Every structure is written in C-alpha cells, then in structure tokens.
Amino acid sequence: MKSSAERRALSRQARDAFPPMGIYLMRDTVTGQVLVASSPNVPGAINRAVFELRRGAHANKVLQAAWDQGGPERVTFETVELLKERDTPDFDYGAELRMLEQLYREELA
C-alpha cells in the first residue's frame, strides 16, 4: 500500500503530464470511409465517440448508421499522430492540431 505522500506525488505527476493530443481516425471497415479528427485528449475523444455511438447519439449520422448496422466490429478507431511537447511555452498546439487534421484529410481524400 502506498503512503499518502506517494499517492500525492503520483497524482501531481499525472496532473502535470503532457496530454495525449493528436490526430485519430474513425473508419467504417465495410465501406472504407474514413473520418479524420483531432483532439487535445485523443483517448478521451475516442471514448466519447464510442459512448455516443453506443447510445445512438453520435453527431455523424453516416458513422452512426454504420455502427447500428455492424456494431463495434464495423467502426474502428486509430490514433495516427500524437504531438510532442515543445520547449516553447507559448507554442500554439491548437493551430498545430488544425493544420495536421487538414493535412490528413487531404491525404486521405
């Protein structure tokens, strides 16, 4: 069992860790349709998308229909790129995510 000081240190370390921001894909395995998205928290965004799909409430109706027809085997999620932490404190991660998302959309179009 960890002491309270060790638990606090682990909690502080997790809080201060660089978040897993990046680009991910949602793919219909039957049609091959790919949706590109970006997020400052990729695992959280994927979890939310799966939750919405399970509830039948995803904003993308085509993706929702694919899920409804084939379930989780039909729609896959893939993290394609995660940003690295920069030394520059004022680096614009949001602009970087938007640019990368656009590049992936053009590449996969």
Side-chain angles (χ1 to χ4, degrees):
M1 189 162 160
K2 296 186 186 296
S3 71
S4 62
E6 289 172 320
R7 287 193 307 271
R8 279 194 305 275
L10 288 172
S11 176
R12 194 171 27 260
Q13 181 182 13
R15 183 194 67 216
D16 295 341
F18 186 71
M21 58 179 73
I23 308 298
Y24 64 99
L25 305 178
M26 296 172 275
R27 185 183 315 266
D28 180 338
T29 59
V30 173
T31 65
Q33 180 183 9
V34 177
L35 298 172
V36 178
S38 65
S39 175
N41 180 350
V42 172
I46 291 173
N47 285 340
R48 180 183 177 142
V50 170
F51 176 77
E52 290 173 346
L53 288 165
R54 285 184 178 149
R55 290 192 59 234
H58 197 277
N60 186 301
K61 300 306 176 199
V62 174
L63 186 66
Q64 184 66 60
W67 180 278
D68 293 343
Q69 290 173 1
E73 293 80 30
R74 180 158 176 183
V75 179
T76 62
F77 295 85
E78 175 186 354
T79 301
V80 291
E81 187 163 345
L82 292 175
L83 298 183
K84 294 187 183 348
E85 186 172 10
R86 307 297 167 101
D87 294 332
T88 311
D90 60 343
F91 184 78
D92 188 354
Y93 291 102
E96 182 82 1
L97 283 174
R98 288 187 296 276
M99 183 204 59
L100 283 172
E101 184 176 349
Q102 184 61 35
L103 288 173
Y104 275 99
R105 282 194 175 144
E106 290 170 4
E107 180 180 318
L108 296 169

